[in-house]
Coordinates of all heavy atoms in Angstrom, one line a residue:
M1 N 109.5 104.8 56.9 CA 109.3 103.9 55.8 C 108.0 103.1 56.1 O 107.6 102.7 57.1 CB 110.5 102.9 55.8 CG 110.3 101.9 54.7 SD 111.9 101.0 54.5 CE 111.5 99.9 53.2
P2 N 107.2 102.8 55.0 CA 105.9 102.1 55.2 C 106.2 100.7 55.6 O 107.3 100.1 55.4 CB 105.3 102.1 53.8 CG 106.0 103.2 53.0 CD 107.3 103.3 53.7
R3 N 105.2 100.2 56.4 CA 105.3 98.8 56.8 C 105.4 97.9 55.6 O 104.6 98.0 54.7 CB 104.0 98.4 57.6 CG 104.0 99.2 59.0 CD 102.8 98.8 59.7 NE 101.7 99.5 59.0 CZ 100.4 99.3 59.1 NH1 100.0 98.5 60.0 NH2 99.5 100.0 58.4
P4 N 106.2 96.9 55.7 CA 106.3 95.9 54.5 C 105.2 94.9 54.5 O 104.6 94.5 55.6 CB 107.7 95.2 54.8 CG 107.9 95.4 56.3 CD 107.2 96.6 56.7
L5 N 104.8 94.5 53.3 CA 103.8 93.4 53.2 C 104.6 92.2 52.7 O 105.2 92.3 51.6 CB 102.8 93.8 52.1 CG 101.8 92.8 51.7 CD1 100.9 92.4 52.9 CD2 100.9 93.2 50.6
G6 N 104.8 91.2 53.5 CA 105.8 90.2 53.3 C 107.1 90.9 53.4 O 107.5 91.5 54.3
K7 N 108.0 90.6 52.3 CA 109.3 91.2 52.3 C 109.4 92.5 51.5 O 110.5 93.1 51.4 CB 110.3 90.1 51.7 CG 110.4 88.9 52.6 CD 111.4 88.0 52.1 CE 111.6 86.9 53.0 NZ 112.8 86.0 53.0
Q8 N 108.4 92.9 50.8 CA 108.4 94.1 49.9 C 107.7 95.2 50.7 O 106.7 95.1 51.4 CB 107.6 93.8 48.7 CG 108.3 92.8 47.8 CD 107.5 92.6 46.5 OE1 106.7 93.4 46.1 NE2 108.0 91.7 45.6
P9 N 108.4 96.4 50.6 CA 107.8 97.5 51.2 C 106.5 98.0 50.5 O 106.4 97.9 49.3 CB 108.8 98.6 51.2 CG 109.7 98.2 50.1 CD 109.6 96.7 50.0
L10 N 105.6 98.5 51.2 CA 104.4 99.1 50.7 C 104.6 100.4 50.0 O 105.4 101.3 50.5 CB 103.3 99.3 51.7 CG 102.8 98.0 52.3 CD1 101.8 98.3 53.4 CD2 102.1 97.1 51.3
P11 N 104.1 100.7 48.8 CA 104.2 102.0 48.3 C 103.5 103.1 49.1 O 102.5 102.8 49.8 CB 103.5 101.9 46.9 CG 102.6 100.8 46.9 CD 103.1 99.9 48.0
P12 N 103.9 104.3 49.1 CA 103.3 105.3 49.8 C 101.8 105.6 49.2 O 101.6 105.4 48.1 CB 104.1 106.6 49.7 CG 105.0 106.3 48.5 CD 105.1 104.8 48.3
Y13 N 100.9 105.9 50.1 CA 99.5 106.2 49.7 C 99.1 107.5 50.4 O 99.2 107.7 51.6 CB 98.6 105.1 50.2 CG 97.1 105.4 50.0 CD1 96.6 105.6 48.7 CD2 96.4 105.5 51.1 CE1 95.3 105.9 48.6 CE2 95.0 105.9 51.0 CZ 94.5 106.0 49.7 OH 93.1 106.4 49.6
K14 N 98.5 108.3 49.6 CA 97.9 109.6 50.0 C 96.4 109.6 49.5 O 96.1 109.6 48.3 CB 98.6 110.8 49.5 CG 98.1 112.1 49.9 CD 98.8 113.3 49.4 CE 98.1 114.6 49.9 NZ 98.2 115.7 49.1
P15 N 95.5 109.5 50.5 CA 94.0 109.4 50.1 C 93.7 110.7 49.3 O 94.2 111.9 49.7 CB 93.3 109.4 51.4 CG 94.3 109.0 52.4 CD 95.7 109.4 51.9
S16 N 92.8 110.5 48.3 CA 92.3 111.7 47.6 C 91.4 112.5 48.5 O 90.9 112.2 49.6 CB 91.5 111.2 46.4 OG 90.2 110.5 46.8
D17 N 91.1 113.7 48.1 CA 90.2 114.6 48.7 C 88.9 113.9 48.9 O 88.2 114.0 49.9 CB 90.0 116.0 48.1 CG 91.2 116.9 48.2 OD1 92.1 116.5 49.1 OD2 91.4 117.8 47.3
D18 N 88.4 113.3 47.8 CA 87.1 112.5 47.9 C 87.1 111.4 48.9 O 86.1 111.2 49.6 CB 86.8 111.9 46.5 CG 86.4 113.0 45.4 OD1 86.0 114.1 45.9 OD2 86.3 112.7 44.2
A19 N 88.2 110.7 49.0 CA 88.3 109.6 49.9 C 88.3 110.1 51.4 O 87.6 109.7 52.2 CB 89.6 108.8 49.7
R20 N 89.1 111.2 51.6 CA 89.1 111.9 52.9 C 87.8 112.3 53.3 O 87.3 112.2 54.5 CB 90.1 112.9 53.0 CG 91.6 112.4 53.2 CD 92.6 113.5 53.6 NE 92.7 114.6 52.6 CZ 93.4 114.6 51.6 NH1 94.2 113.5 51.2 NH2 93.4 115.7 50.8
A21 N 87.1 113.0 52.4 CA 85.8 113.5 52.7 C 84.7 112.4 53.0 O 83.9 112.6 54.0 CB 85.3 114.4 51.6
A22 N 84.8 111.4 52.3 CA 83.9 110.3 52.4 C 84.2 109.6 53.8 O 83.2 109.3 54.5 CB 84.0 109.2 51.3
I23 N 85.4 109.5 54.1 CA 85.7 108.8 55.4 C 85.3 109.7 56.6 O 84.8 109.2 57.6 CB 87.3 108.5 55.5 CG1 87.5 107.3 54.4 CG2 87.7 108.1 56.9 CD1 89.0 107.1 54.2
K24 N 85.5 111.0 56.4 CA 85.1 111.9 57.5 C 83.6 111.9 57.6 O 83.0 111.9 58.8 CB 85.6 113.3 57.2 CG 85.2 114.3 58.3 CD 85.5 115.8 57.9 CE 85.1 116.7 59.0 NZ 83.8 116.5 59.7
A25 N 82.9 111.8 56.5 CA 81.3 111.8 56.6 C 80.9 110.5 57.3 O 80.1 110.5 58.1 CB 80.9 111.9 55.2
W26 N 81.6 109.5 56.9 CA 81.3 108.2 57.7 C 81.6 108.2 59.2 O 80.7 107.8 60.0 CB 82.1 107.0 57.0 CG 82.0 105.7 57.7 CD1 80.8 105.0 57.7 CD2 83.0 105.0 58.3 NE1 81.1 103.8 58.5 CE2 82.4 103.8 58.9 CE3 84.3 105.2 58.5 CZ2 83.2 102.9 59.5 CZ3 85.1 104.3 59.3 CH2 84.5 103.1 59.7
H27 N 82.7 108.8 59.5 CA 83.0 109.0 60.9 C 81.9 109.8 61.6 O 81.5 109.5 62.8 CB 84.4 109.5 61.1 CG 85.5 108.5 61.1 ND1 85.7 107.5 62.0 CD2 86.4 108.4 60.1 CE1 86.8 106.9 61.6 NE2 87.3 107.3 60.5
D28 N 81.6 110.8 61.1 CA 80.5 111.7 61.6 C 79.2 111.0 61.7 O 78.5 111.1 62.8 CB 80.3 113.0 60.7 CG 81.5 113.9 60.7 OD1 82.4 113.8 61.6 OD2 81.6 114.8 59.8
A29 N 78.8 110.2 60.7 CA 77.6 109.4 60.8 C 77.6 108.4 62.0 O 76.7 108.1 62.6 CB 77.3 108.7 59.5
V30 N 78.8 107.7 62.2 CA 78.9 106.8 63.3 C 78.8 107.4 64.6 O 78.1 107.0 65.5 CB 80.3 106.0 63.1 CG1 80.6 105.2 64.5 CG2 80.3 105.2 61.9
D31 N 79.4 108.7 64.7 CA 79.3 109.5 65.9 C 77.9 109.8 66.3 O 77.4 109.7 67.4 CB 80.2 110.7 65.9 CG 81.7 110.4 66.0 OD1 82.1 109.3 66.3 OD2 82.4 111.3 65.6
L32 N 77.2 110.3 65.2 CA 75.8 110.6 65.4 C 74.9 109.3 65.8 O 74.0 109.5 66.6 CB 75.2 111.2 64.1 CG 73.7 111.7 64.1 CD1 73.5 112.7 65.2 CD2 73.3 112.2 62.8
E33 N 75.2 108.3 65.1 CA 74.5 107.0 65.4 C 74.7 106.6 66.9 O 73.7 106.3 67.5 CB 75.0 105.8 64.5 CG 74.2 104.5 64.7 CD 74.6 103.7 65.9 OE1 75.8 103.8 66.3 OE2 73.8 102.9 66.3
E34 N 75.9 106.7 67.3 CA 76.2 106.4 68.8 C 75.3 107.3 69.8 O 74.8 106.9 70.7 CB 77.6 106.5 69.1 CG 78.0 106.0 70.4 CD 79.5 105.9 70.6 OE1 80.2 105.7 69.7 OE2 79.9 106.0 71.8
K35 N 75.4 108.7 69.4 CA 74.7 109.6 70.3 C 73.2 109.4 70.3 O 72.5 109.4 71.3 CB 75.0 111.0 69.8 CG 76.4 111.6 70.1 CD 76.6 112.9 69.5 CE 78.1 113.3 69.6 NZ 78.4 114.5 68.9
T36 N 72.7 109.1 69.1 CA 71.1 108.9 69.0 C 70.7 107.5 69.6 O 69.7 107.4 70.2 CB 70.6 109.0 67.6 OG1 71.4 108.1 66.7 CG2 70.8 110.5 67.0
R37 N 71.6 106.5 69.5 CA 71.4 105.2 70.1 C 71.3 105.3 71.6 O 70.4 104.9 72.3 CB 72.3 104.2 69.6 CG 72.1 102.8 70.2 CD 73.1 101.8 69.7 NE 74.5 102.2 69.6 CZ 75.3 102.1 70.8 NH1 74.9 101.5 71.8 NH2 76.5 102.5 70.6
H38 N 72.2 106.1 72.2 CA 72.2 106.3 73.6 C 71.0 107.1 74.0 O 70.4 106.9 75.1 CB 73.5 106.9 74.1 CG 74.6 106.0 74.1 ND1 74.8 105.0 75.0 CD2 75.8 105.9 73.3 CE1 75.9 104.3 74.8 NE2 76.5 104.8 73.7
A39 N 70.6 108.1 73.2 CA 69.4 108.9 73.5 C 68.2 108.0 73.6 O 67.3 108.1 74.4 CB 69.3 110.1 72.6
A40 N 68.1 107.1 72.6 CA 66.9 106.2 72.5 C 66.9 105.2 73.7 O 65.8 105.0 74.3 CB 67.0 105.4 71.2
R41 N 68.0 104.8 74.1 CA 68.1 103.8 75.3 C 67.8 104.6 76.5 O 67.0 104.1 77.3 CB 69.6 103.3 75.4 CG 70.0 102.3 74.3 CD 71.5 102.1 74.3 NE 71.9 101.4 75.5 CZ 72.1 100.1 75.7 NH1 71.8 99.3 74.7 NH2 72.6 99.6 76.9
K42 N 68.2 105.8 76.7 CA 67.9 106.6 77.9 C 66.4 106.9 77.9 O 65.7 106.8 78.9 CB 68.7 107.9 77.9 CG 68.5 108.7 79.1 CD 69.4 109.9 79.1 CE 69.2 110.7 80.4 NZ 70.1 112.0 80.3
A43 N 65.8 107.1 76.7 CA 64.3 107.6 76.6 C 63.5 106.2 77.0 O 62.5 106.3 77.8 CB 64.0 108.0 75.3
L44 N 63.9 105.0 76.5 CA 63.2 103.9 76.9 C 63.4 103.6 78.4 O 62.4 103.2 79.0 CB 63.7 102.7 76.1 CG 63.3 102.6 74.6 CD1 64.0 101.5 73.8 CD2 61.8 102.5 74.5
A45 N 64.5 103.8 78.9 CA 64.7 103.6 80.4 C 63.7 104.5 81.2 O 63.1 104.2 82.2 CB 66.1 103.9 80.9
G46 N 63.6 105.8 80.6 CA 62.7 106.8 81.3 C 61.3 106.2 81.3 O 60.5 106.4 82.3
D47 N 60.8 105.7 80.1 CA 59.5 105.1 80.0 C 59.3 104.0 81.1 O 58.3 103.9 81.7 CB 59.2 104.5 78.6 CG 59.0 105.6 77.6 OD1 59.0 106.8 77.9 OD2 59.1 105.2 76.4
L48 N 60.4 103.2 81.2 CA 60.3 102.0 82.2 C 60.2 102.6 83.6 O 59.5 102.0 84.5 CB 61.4 101.0 82.0 CG 61.3 100.2 80.7 CD1 62.7 99.7 80.3 CD2 60.2 99.2 80.8
L49 N 61.1 103.6 83.8 CA 61.1 104.2 85.2 C 59.6 104.8 85.6 O 59.3 104.8 86.7 CB 62.2 105.3 85.3 CG 63.7 104.7 85.6 CD1 64.6 105.8 85.4 CD2 63.7 104.2 87.0
A50 N 59.1 105.4 84.5 CA 57.7 106.1 84.8 C 56.6 105.1 85.1 O 55.6 105.5 85.7 CB 57.4 106.9 83.5
D51 N 56.8 103.9 84.6 CA 55.7 103.0 84.9 C 56.3 101.7 85.4 O 56.7 100.8 84.6 CB 54.9 102.7 83.5 CG 53.7 101.8 83.7 OD1 53.5 101.2 84.8 OD2 52.9 101.7 82.7
S52 N 56.2 101.4 86.6 CA 56.8 100.4 87.3 C 56.1 99.0 87.0 O 56.6 97.9 87.2 CB 56.9 100.5 88.9 OG 55.6 100.6 89.3
D53 N 54.9 99.0 86.4 CA 54.1 97.9 86.0 C 54.4 97.5 84.6 O 53.8 96.5 84.2 CB 52.6 98.0 86.3 CG 52.3 98.2 87.8 OD1 53.0 97.5 88.6 OD2 51.4 98.8 88.2
L54 N 55.0 98.3 83.8 CA 55.3 98.0 82.4 C 56.3 97.0 82.3 O 57.5 97.2 82.6 CB 55.7 99.4 81.8 CG 56.0 99.2 80.3 CD1 54.7 98.9 79.5 CD2 56.5 100.6 79.8
P55 N 56.0 95.8 81.7 CA 57.0 94.8 81.5 C 57.9 95.0 80.4 O 57.5 95.6 79.4 CB 56.1 93.4 81.3 CG 54.8 93.9 81.1 CD 54.6 95.3 81.4
Y56 N 59.1 94.6 80.5 CA 60.1 94.7 79.4 C 59.6 94.0 78.2 O 59.8 94.6 77.0 CB 61.4 94.0 79.9 CG 62.2 94.8 80.9 CD1 62.3 94.3 82.2 CD2 62.8 96.0 80.6 CE1 63.1 95.0 83.2 CE2 63.6 96.6 81.5 CZ 63.7 96.2 82.8 OH 64.4 96.9 83.8
A57 N 58.9 92.9 78.3 CA 58.3 92.2 77.1 C 57.5 93.1 76.3 O 57.4 93.1 75.1 CB 57.7 91.0 77.5
A58 N 56.7 94.0 76.9 CA 55.7 94.8 76.2 C 56.4 95.8 75.5 O 56.1 96.2 74.4 CB 54.7 95.5 77.3
V59 N 57.5 96.3 76.1 CA 58.3 97.3 75.4 C 59.0 96.8 74.2 O 59.0 97.2 73.1 CB 59.3 98.0 76.4 CG1 60.2 99.0 75.6 CG2 58.6 98.7 77.5
A60 N 59.6 95.6 74.4 CA 60.3 94.8 73.3 C 59.4 94.5 72.2 O 59.8 94.5 71.0 CB 61.0 93.7 73.9
A61 N 58.2 94.2 72.5 CA 57.2 93.8 71.4 C 56.7 94.9 70.6 O 56.2 94.6 69.5 CB 56.0 93.1 72.1
H62 N 57.0 96.2 70.9 CA 56.5 97.3 70.1 C 57.3 97.3 68.8 O 58.6 97.1 68.8 CB 56.6 98.6 70.9 CG 55.8 99.7 70.3 ND1 56.3 100.4 69.2 CD2 54.6 100.2 70.5 CE1 55.5 101.4 68.9 NE2 54.4 101.2 69.7
D63 N 56.6 97.6 67.7 CA 57.3 97.7 66.4 C 58.4 98.6 66.3 O 59.3 98.4 65.5 CB 56.2 98.0 65.3 CG 55.2 96.9 65.2 OD1 55.5 95.8 65.6 OD2 54.2 97.3 64.6
S64 N 58.4 99.7 67.0 CA 59.4 100.8 66.9 C 60.7 100.5 67.8 O 61.7 101.2 67.6 CB 58.9 102.1 67.1 OG 58.6 102.3 68.6
V65 N 60.6 99.5 68.7 CA 61.6 99.3 69.6 C 62.6 98.2 68.9 O 62.2 97.0 68.7 CB 61.2 98.8 70.9 CG1 62.3 98.4 71.8 CG2 60.3 99.9 71.7
P66 N 63.9 98.5 68.7 CA 64.8 97.7 68.0 C 65.5 96.6 68.9 O 66.4 95.9 68.3 CB 65.7 98.5 67.3 CG 65.9 99.7 68.3 CD 64.5 99.8 68.9
W67 N 65.2 96.6 70.1 CA 65.9 95.7 71.1 C 65.0 94.6 71.6 O 63.8 94.8 71.8 CB 66.5 96.6 72.1 CG 67.6 97.5 71.7 CD1 68.8 97.2 71.1 CD2 67.6 98.9 71.6 NE1 69.5 98.3 70.7 CE2 68.8 99.4 71.0 CE3 66.6 99.9 72.1 CZ2 69.0 100.7 70.8 CZ3 66.9 101.2 71.9 CH2 68.1 101.7 71.3
T68 N 65.7 93.6 72.0 CA 65.1 92.4 72.6 C 64.7 92.7 74.1 O 65.2 93.7 74.7 CB 65.9 91.2 72.6 OG1 67.1 91.4 73.4 CG2 66.3 90.8 71.2
E69 N 63.9 91.8 74.7 CA 63.6 92.0 76.1 C 64.9 92.0 77.0 O 65.0 92.7 77.9 CB 62.6 90.9 76.4 CG 62.2 90.9 77.9 CD 61.2 89.8 78.2 OE1 60.6 89.2 77.3 OE2 60.9 89.6 79.4
E70 N 65.8 91.0 76.6 CA 67.0 90.9 77.4 C 67.9 92.1 77.3 O 68.5 92.6 78.2 CB 67.8 89.7 77.0 CG 69.0 89.3 77.8 CD 68.7 89.2 79.3 OE1 67.5 88.7 79.7 OE2 69.4 89.6 80.2
T71 N 68.0 92.8 76.1 CA 68.7 94.0 75.9 C 68.0 95.1 76.8 O 68.6 95.9 77.3 CB 68.7 94.4 74.4 OG1 69.4 93.3 73.7 CG2 69.5 95.6 74.2
L72 N 66.8 95.1 76.7 CA 66.1 96.1 77.5 C 66.3 95.9 79.0 O 66.4 96.9 79.8 CB 64.6 96.1 77.2 CG 64.2 96.7 75.9 CD1 62.8 96.4 75.6 CD2 64.4 98.2 75.8
R73 N 66.4 94.8 79.5 CA 66.8 94.5 80.8 C 68.2 95.1 81.1 O 68.4 95.7 82.1 CB 66.9 93.0 81.2 CG 65.4 92.5 81.4 CD 65.6 91.1 82.1 NE 64.3 90.5 82.0 CZ 63.9 89.6 81.1 NH1 64.7 89.1 80.1 NH2 62.6 89.1 81.1
G74 N 69.2 94.9 80.2 CA 70.4 95.5 80.4 C 70.4 97.0 80.4 O 71.1 97.7 81.2
I75 N 69.5 97.6 79.5 CA 69.4 99.1 79.5 C 68.8 99.5 80.9 O 69.2 100.5 81.4 CB 68.4 99.5 78.4 CG1 69.2 99.2 77.1 CG2 68.0 101.0 78.5 CD1 68.3 99.4 75.8
G76 N 67.8 98.7 81.4 CA 67.3 99.0 82.7 C 68.3 99.0 83.8 O 68.3 99.9 84.6
R77 N 69.1 98.0 83.7 CA 70.2 98.0 84.8 C 71.2 99.2 84.6 O 71.5 99.8 85.7 CB 71.0 96.7 84.7 CG 70.3 95.4 85.2 CD 71.2 94.3 85.3 NE 71.6 93.8 84.0 CZ 70.9 93.0 83.1 NH1 69.7 92.5 83.6 NH2 71.4 92.6 82.0
E78 N 71.5 99.5 83.5 CA 72.4 100.6 83.2 C 71.8 102.0 83.7 O 72.5 102.8 84.2 CB 72.6 100.7 81.6 CG 73.5 101.8 81.2 CD 73.6 102.0 79.7 OE1 73.2 101.0 79.0 OE2 74.1 103.0 79.2
Y79 N 70.5 102.2 83.6 CA 69.9 103.4 84.0 C 69.1 103.3 85.4 O 68.4 104.1 85.7 CB 68.9 103.9 83.0 CG 69.6 104.4 81.8 CD1 69.9 103.7 80.6 CD2 70.1 105.6 81.7 CE1 70.7 104.1 79.5 CE2 70.9 106.2 80.7 CZ 71.1 105.5 79.6 OH 71.8 106.0 78.5
G80 N 69.4 102.2 86.1 CA 68.8 102.1 87.4 C 67.3 101.8 87.5 O 66.6 102.2 88.4
V81 N 66.7 101.2 86.5 CA 65.3 100.8 86.5 C 65.2 99.6 87.5 O 65.9 98.6 87.3 CB 64.9 100.4 85.0 CG1 63.4 99.9 85.1 CG2 65.0 101.6 84.2
P82 N 64.2 99.8 88.4 CA 64.0 98.6 89.3 C 63.5 97.4 88.6 O 62.8 97.4 87.5 CB 62.9 99.1 90.2 CG 62.9 100.5 90.1 CD 63.3 100.8 88.7
P83 N 64.0 96.1 89.0 CA 63.5 94.9 88.4 C 62.0 94.8 88.4 O 61.4 95.3 89.3 CB 64.2 93.8 89.2 CG 65.2 94.4 90.0 CD 64.8 95.9 90.1
R84 N 61.5 94.1 87.4 CA 60.1 93.9 87.2 C 59.7 92.6 88.0 O 60.4 91.7 88.0 CB 59.6 93.9 85.8 CG 59.9 95.1 85.0 CD 59.2 96.2 85.6 NE 59.3 97.4 84.7 CZ 59.7 98.6 85.0 NH1 60.0 98.9 86.3 NH2 59.6 99.6 84.3
Q85 N 58.5 92.6 88.4 CA 57.9 91.3 89.1 C 56.7 90.9 88.2 O 55.6 91.4 88.4 CB 57.5 91.6 90.5 CG 58.7 91.8 91.4 CD 58.3 92.0 92.8 OE1 57.3 91.8 93.2 NE2 59.4 92.3 93.6
P86 N 57.0 90.1 87.1 CA 55.8 89.9 86.2 C 54.6 89.4 86.8 O 53.5 89.7 86.3 CB 56.5 89.0 85.2 CG 57.9 88.8 85.6 CD 58.1 89.5 86.8
N87 N 54.6 88.6 87.8 CA 53.4 88.0 88.3 C 52.6 89.0 89.1 O 51.4 88.9 89.4 CB 53.8 86.9 89.3 CG 54.5 85.7 88.5 OD1 54.2 85.5 87.4 ND2 55.3 84.9 89.2
K88 N 53.2 90.2 89.4 CA 52.5 91.2 90.1 C 52.2 92.4 89.3 O 51.6 93.3 89.7 CB 53.4 91.7 91.4 CG 53.6 90.7 92.4 CD 54.3 91.2 93.6 CE 54.5 90.0 94.7 NZ 55.1 90.5 95.8
A89 N 52.5 92.3 88.0 CA 52.1 93.4 87.1 C 50.6 93.5 87.0 O 50.0 92.5 86.9 CB 52.8 93.2 85.7
K90 N 50.1 94.7 86.9 CA 48.7 94.8 86.8 C 48.3 95.1 85.4 O 49.0 95.8 84.7 CB 48.3 96.2 87.7 CG 48.7 96.1 89.1 CD 48.4 97.4 89.8 CE 49.1 97.4 91.1 NZ 49.4 98.7 91.7
P91 N 47.2 94.5 84.9 CA 46.8 94.7 83.6 C 46.3 96.1 83.4 O 45.7 96.7 84.4 CB 45.7 93.7 83.4 CG 45.3 93.2 84.7 CD 46.4 93.5 85.6
K92 N 46.6 96.7 82.4 CA 46.1 98.1 82.1 C 44.6 98.1 81.5 O 44.2 97.2 80.8 CB 47.0 98.8 81.0 CG 48.4 98.9 81.4 CD 48.6 100.0 82.5 CE 50.0 100.1 82.8 NZ 50.2 100.9 84.0
D93 N 43.9 99.0 82.0 CA 42.5 99.1 81.6 C 42.4 99.8 80.2 O 43.0 100.6 79.9 CB 41.6 99.8 82.7 CG 41.5 99.0 83.9 OD1 41.6 97.7 83.8 OD2 41.5 99.5 85.0

């Protein structure tokens, strides 16, 4: 029996084919977003690992990077990026 809403039982509901297809497409999109977000995070961590003098702030300031400096620090910790020492960073020529 369906769960009651208040004291009255809910009527049975069967999603239409359109509703089921739309919900499945949405779940697929969410799964893809999660996979691609993790891939982007891993790629940024790789960039940070490749250049130990690259500050998190420089990465966060780039137009294509959607995360803050603090979020990038979390990504760095997640992927084992050594902490940065901003006072010792070398300017790029």
